[in-house]
Amino acid sequence: MKPFVFINAAMSLDGKISNDRREQVRISSPEDFRVVDRLRAESDAVMVGIGTVLSDDPKLTVKSEELRRERVERGLPENPIRVVVDSRARTPLNSQVLNQAARTIVAVAEVADEEKVELLRRRAEVFVAGKERVDLRALLEHLYSIGVRRLMVEGGSEINYSLIKEGLVDEIRVFYSGMVIAGRRAPTLVSGESFDTPVEARLKSVEPLGNGVAVVWEMRTANLRKV
């Protein structure tokens, strides 16, 4: 069993989620930020890849005091569980995702340096699965076993690719912003190698939101062999 998994991302008109220096770029509108905060508050856990931790140093906590209070009133912690997919245990020990604001799980592979893993264990829970790379299916099964039913994935492009490749994504929500970033090396929503058969999705909803539009896609299974 696995949680319901949805990817949330903000993207420019030309399909970029950052610039070619992979710096944090404010793409979402204020209206989208509020929606994303609610989506986070309604999730049991929030997941990111190590690339996002290294480039953005996110907190992955609920910003709104009202939404945090609503969670507490429902008998939940103020913030959802934070999950970092970090095969080689590269998460800096001073990362904001390792603060005490919420429960944090760092998923590593067997190849990770043992000394780094032990240092991470002092600040977070460590889940080991997979030899060279984190076994995402095993990770999702573990998250389900500890009560995670709704998992929000907030990037980046590598973790998005891996989850889609494994057929583990149920929905993708994208906020398309009224801006152009450009850059040949700027990351897109999904990186990795091309699939020989494109992964199809069904349009679920479209909503104008500030200077952009939020689109929700329902993912369909496909033959995901790499070319």
Side-chain angles (χ1 to χ4, degrees):
M1 300 289 287
K2 75 170 187 66
F4 177 87
V5 178
F6 73 101
I7 291 173
N8 182 79
M11 193 160 62
S12 64
L13 288 177
D14 54 331
K16 312 298 185 182
I17 61 173
S18 181
N19 58 30
D20 56 8
R21 295 177 299 281
R22 295 183 178 267
E23 298 168 332
Q24 189 173 27
V25 179
R26 185 176 289 271
I27 299 175
S28 290
S29 67
E31 294 85 355
D32 183 56
F33 275 122
R34 288 192 288 271
V35 172
V36 170
D37 203 33
R38 178 164 288 279
L39 289 172
R40 191 179 290 170
E42 292 173 349
S43 298
D44 299 307
V46 180
M47 175 187 287
V48 294
I50 181 59
T52 296
V53 172
L54 295 176
S55 63
D56 296 349
D57 191 22
K59 293 180 180 178
L60 301 180
T61 53
V62 177
K63 305 296 188 293
S64 165
E65 182 179 347
E66 179 182 354
L67 291 175
R68 293 197 303 270
R69 185 169 59 250
E70 288 179 6
R71 284 181 57 88
V72 172
E73 289 173 352
R74 299 201 309 270
L76 301 171
E78 284 191 342
N79 295 293
I81 298 170
R82 302 175 295 194
V83 183
V84 179
V85 179
D86 180 11
S87 296
R88 297 182 179 272
R90 293 188 293 150
T91 302
L93 297 179
N94 61 349
S95 298
Q96 294 191 99
V97 76
L98 297 180
N99 64 26
Q100 299 301 309
R103 180 181 180 183
T104 301
I105 299 173
V106 180
V108 303
E110 294 173 12
V111 71
D113 181 85
E114 292 184 9
E115 183 176 344
K116 291 181 179 179
V117 171
E118 287 307 310
L119 290 173
L120 283 174
R121 287 190 195 277
R122 299 177 186 179
R123 297 176 179 267
E125 299 173 36
V126 175
F127 178 77
V128 183
K131 293 184 178 180
E132 297 291 329
R133 298 176 65 86
V134 171
D135 183 332
L136 293 174
R137 192 173 297 275
L139 173 59
L140 294 189
E141 289 174 355
H142 173 69
L143 293 177
Y144 189 91
S145 74
I146 62 173
V148 175
R149 297 295 180 267
R150 184 174 177 84
L151 174 65
M152 181 177 185
V153 180
E154 296 200 48
S157 60
E158 290 286 346
I159 189 67
N160 292 345
Y161 167 77
S162 298
L163 288 165
I164 293 171
K165 177 178 179 290
E166 295 295 325
L168 298 173
V169 178
D170 298 289
E171 280 186 1
I172 297 179
R173 177 189 181 273
V174 180
F175 174 77
Y176 296 93
S177 179
M179 67 170 63
V180 175
I181 295 175
R184 291 186 181 87
R185 296 181 300 277
T188 58
L189 181 66
V190 181
S191 62
E193 300 177 36
S194 296
F195 303 127
D196 64 351
T197 301
V199 181
E200 296 186 357
R202 181 184 68 84
L203 182 62
K204 187 173 181 180
S205 67
V206 179
E207 177 189 7
L209 205 57
N211 187 36
V213 58
V215 182
V216 178
W217 301 90
E218 183 180 278
M219 301 303 293
R220 295 175 176 174
T221 57
N223 178 3
L224 302 182
R225 293 195 309 273
K226 293 183 289 187
V227 297

